[in-house]
Amino acid sequence: MSIIKDNTFRLGCRLSELQKTIDFHDSIIEEISYDKHSLRLYIKIGLCNWRQRGYDESTDNETETIYLRFEGALYMGENRVFNDDDCDGGIYYARMNDENEIEFVAEDKETAVKSYIISASKAYIDLTRPVMADKYNGVIAESENYLVVREYEMCYLYFKHGKYRRVIIGDIYGDADTAIIDRNERFVLMTGFDTIVYYLKEPFEDYSPAKSSEQWKMLELSGDGDFCEKLIQISDDRFIARYENGYEETII
């Protein structure tokens, strides 16, 4: 059966399941595209279908094009590993570095073998090239060590360095308008229908509106503002919320 028709991959799977199930050896990486705002990455692969389990030469094509899509992905770009005068563009292997990080080692067409390391929680296989741009959902705040990512009503904190890690830091009715990371990286301030301060310290507990925790607190604002266009830090502990209707207020 064609890999493309397997709902396990079309509906999303763990990276380890992808690596164990698909034999990537000798397949070709044709294109890699990454959008840093939406944290969406895809790899176009000319897959050696005949190497896959369940391949039926009477009904299946020997090769087919697949689009691997990774959502909420961190990708630092390609790294040269070594040169190989016999390069033809084939993938040597795909391996798991840990449960959320997969590494593809492949040849390019200029006698270089390169490593492509991707961190994500899930992978998908699409029938066609996925849409990359998402001007709404995606990164809404960034600091040296963290990203704040909006996915509609949910806000997630991503750790930029070290092992892949993602935690829920907000669940805001009607979506978060915007967020800011304290310049000393002590907390994240998010605002929308609710305003939440999430403290950047262990154990980095997942936020839940149904419980209280020392990991976060709620703030009460005046309610005179409209959509918050921007949060501005004016001192270590003071912020200005600037609203679409022109109103501004100080948050302490």
Side-chain angles (χ1 to χ4, degrees), residues 144-162:
E144 180 180 355
N145 295 297
Y146 303 103
L147 296 171
V148 177
V149 175
R150 173 177 59 203
E151 292 184 16
Y152 298 106
E153 296 189 342
M154 305 298 292
C155 285
Y156 295 93
L157 182 77
Y158 283 77
F159 294 69
K160 293 169 64 174
H161 309 294

Side-chain angles (χ1 to χ4, degrees), residues 13-233:
C13 67
R14 303 286 296 182
L15 273 60
S16 56
E17 186 175 2
L18 177 77
Q19 185 267 338
K20 288 178 181 177
T21 306
I22 299 181
D23 181 354
F24 287 101
H25 181 66
D26 277 350
S27 296
I28 306 294
I29 290 180
E30 299 180 357
E31 183 182 357
I32 295 179
S33 184
Y34 182 55
D35 182 67
K36 291 183 178 180
H37 172 71
S38 62
L39 301 185
R40 180 174 294 157
L41 179 144
Y42 92 89
I43 307 177
K44 181 181 179 183
I45 292 179
L47 184 70
C48 289
N49 207 27
W50 61 270
R51 295 185 63 93
Q52 312 311 312
R53 285 177 292 179
Y55 170 72
D56 185 341
E57 64 179 1
S58 65
T59 58
D60 297 333
N61 296 325
E62 289 190 1
T63 62
E64 65 183 342
T65 298
I66 65 171
Y67 296 86
L68 292 183
R69 174 169 52 91
F70 303 86
E71 297 286 349
L74 299 180
Y75 175 63
M76 302 307 293
E78 61 190 40
N79 298 287
R80 182 184 293 270
V81 181
F82 56 85
N83 287 340
D84 184 344
D85 292 335
D86 296 322
C87 278
D88 62 5
I91 297 174
Y92 284 166
Y93 57 80
R95 68 181 178 190
M96 297 300 300
N97 294 333
D98 64 45
E99 64 178 353
N100 295 118
E101 184 175 279
I102 190 169
E103 178 181 12
F104 292 90
V105 174
E107 305 165 338
D108 66 12
K109 296 179 180 179
E110 298 177 356
T111 73
V113 176
K114 296 179 179 178
S115 170
Y116 307 87
I117 298 176
I118 303 158
S119 297
S121 58
K122 281 192 174 183
Y124 304 79
I125 291 182
D126 290 332
L127 298 173
T128 59
R129 187 185 190 278
V131 175
M132 294 299 294
D134 187 336
K135 296 181 180 179
Y136 184 75
N137 290 303
V139 177
I140 57 174
E142 181 175 2
S143 67
E144 180 180 355
N145 295 297
Y146 303 103
L147 296 171
V148 177
V149 175
R150 173 177 59 203
E151 292 184 16
Y152 298 106
E153 296 189 342
M154 305 298 292
C155 285
Y156 295 93
L157 182 77
Y158 283 77
F159 294 69
K160 293 169 64 174
H161 309 294
K163 297 298 184 183
Y164 181 87
R165 192 175 183 185
R166 183 181 87 161
V167 296
I168 301 168
I169 61 172
D171 182 354
I172 299 176
Y173 175 76
D175 307 345
D177 292 344
T178 189
I180 189 172
I181 302 172
D182 162 58
R183 61 193 179 195
N184 298 308
E185 293 192 328
R186 296 168 300 164
F187 54 83
V188 178
L189 174 63
M190 298 154 280
T191 190
F193 183 82
D194 298 311
T195 300
I196 303 169
V197 176
Y198 184 94
Y199 294 100
L200 300 176
K201 61 182 181 180
E202 294 291 353
F204 288 96
E205 180 182 357
D206 279 337
Y207 171 84
S208 171
K211 61 184 290 188
S212 60
S213 170
E214 293 184 357
Q215 192 83 63
W216 61 80
K217 69 178 181 181
M218 309 296 292
L219 298 180
E220 293 289 337
L221 300 188
S222 68
D224 294 329
D226 195 354
F227 176 84
C228 185
E229 293 183 315
K230 194 172 185 180
L231 291 168
I232 305 164
Q233 187 164 8

